[in-house]
Amino acid sequence: MTWILMCMAAVCLAVLGISYVCFRMGFYAPRKEAASDQIELPEGEIYEPYWDSMERWIQETRATPHEEVSVRSFDGLTLWGKYYEYAPGAPIELMFHGYRGSAERDLCGGMQRCFQLGHSALIVDQRCSGRSGGSVITF
């Protein structure tokens, strides 16, 4: 009877351990630091054909005049973004990057598209990315 309880306990611990590892792999994101002079490009073969365009868009976005804006969240974090004005009174597109992404990397092409359409753009660093506050989930 004791060995059955030990086996059940071992199985439960294994399931919990595997669940925790899967959770960390799927949901843990290290803090994204603010952009430096280095250009961050996504890894993987599917992105390689686009690296040159992405690098050019990032350089053009960095060279475009912009205004840094911030807002305080309901829980006291400062969230940062960059406002690129095409022309006074032009429509504004709000853009948010994807999970584990960054505003500069994920939205530089979108900012270029906005300007081609005659729109201004506000690209936002979400929580725990770029200059925005926040922390990763830890246990």
Side-chain angles (χ1 to χ4, degrees), residues 85-96:
E85 184 175 52
Y86 178 76
I92 301 171
E93 291 191 29
L94 303 175
M95 295 186 279
F96 300 89

Side-chain angles (χ1 to χ4, degrees), residues 52-127:
D52 291 337
S53 296
M54 294 169 91
E55 187 171 356
R56 180 175 38 84
W57 290 338
I58 289 172
Q59 290 172 344
E60 290 173 3
T61 300
R62 287 180 178 177
T64 303
H66 62 275
E67 177 184 345
E68 300 232 353
V69 296
S70 67
V71 64
R72 183 153 311 270
S73 68
F74 73 93
D75 56 351
L77 297 175
T78 301
L79 306 174
W80 290 90
K82 293 180 181 177
Y83 175 64
Y84 297 87
E85 184 175 52
Y86 178 76
I92 301 171
E93 291 191 29
L94 303 175
M95 295 186 279
F96 300 89
H97 62 82
Y99 181 63
R100 294 189 180 188
S102 68
E104 182 181 73
R105 184 190 79 188
D106 292 2
L107 305 172
C108 60
M111 197 281 295
Q112 301 293 327
R113 182 191 56 80
C114 284
F115 273 37
Q116 289 174 355
L117 295 172
H119 297 175
S120 297
L122 175 61
I123 64 173
V124 178
D125 274 320
Q126 296 191 64
R127 292 169 176 258

Side-chain angles (χ1 to χ4, degrees), residues 8-26 139:
M8 288 175 52
V11 169
C12 287
L13 285 175
V15 168
L16 286 173
I18 291 169
S19 298
Y20 178 73
V21 168
C22 291
F23 170 80
R24 293 282 293 195
M25 290 173 61
F139 294 95

